[in-house]
Amino acid sequence: MKVPHILIVDDEPNIVMSLEFLMRKNGYQVGIARNGTEAMTAIEQTPYDLVLLDIMMPDVDGYQVCRVLRQRPDRAGTKVIFLSAKSREPDIQKGYEVGADLYIPKPFSTRQLMEKVRELLGVAA
């Protein structure tokens, strides 16, 4: 069985580090992008199974990254989870409109996040 490949996109180094540790500990391959531009390059080069995506980033926001990803037929199977401090209803709504599979407001429980990641990837716990 192929090991799922997850892209972590966040401009906050502490979040990137903790998510990377969590995903690797759970047996996933991990890619990292520190902003939207890096994320779009990474998505172009690698067929990720899942993208953990922040919304507020200095260059290209997460909504735009998700739109670009959703426009690529060869990445149709990629799941997207927004992890964002933007927790107002319109922000969450917009996340789903641009193609998110799930929207989890920060701060979030790592246990809950892992359950959702496994669920979306169809992996048994």
Side-chain angles (χ1 to χ4, degrees):
M1 192 182 109
K2 177 176 141 333
V3 174
H5 206 159
I6 295 176
L7 177 64
I8 297 168
V9 185
D10 204 305
D11 59 332
E12 179 56 57
N14 293 341
I15 292 175
V16 170
M17 258 176 24
S18 60
L19 285 174
E20 179 184 14
F21 175 78
L22 182 68
M23 295 304 146
R24 288 191 195 283
K25 193 178 86 176
N26 281 275
Y28 299 111
Q29 283 185 56
V30 176
I32 290 173
R34 288 176 174 78
N35 57 49
T37 307
E38 280 183 24
M40 291 193 290
T41 303
I43 287 164
E44 207 167 283
Q45 295 169 348
T46 309
Y48 289 95
D49 299 292
L50 179 90
V51 179
L52 295 173
L53 187 55
D54 184 25
I55 292 174
M56 295 183 287
M57 292 182 287
D59 54 352
V60 179
D61 72 17
Y63 294 130
Q64 190 56 36
V65 173
C66 190
R67 273 191 207 100
V68 167
L69 175 66
R70 291 298 180 225
Q71 287 165 356
R72 294 189 54 135
D74 60 333
R75 299 289 186 260
T78 303
K79 304 290 183 201
V80 175
I81 298 178
F82 275 123
L83 297 173
S84 179
K86 292 171 81 85
S87 56
R88 291 185 13 255
E89 195 53 47
D91 300 319
I92 295 170
Q93 191 63 43
K94 185 173 179 183
Y96 285 114
E97 280 167 13
V98 298
D101 292 284
L102 197 60
Y103 194 111
I104 301 176
K106 290 177 183 173
F108 51 86
S109 136
T110 52
R111 195 176 52 78
Q112 180 200 19
L113 175 63
M114 284 318 306
E115 282 171 16
K116 297 300 182 189
V117 165
R118 284 189 200 102
E119 230 169 76
L120 281 176
L121 293 173
V123 178

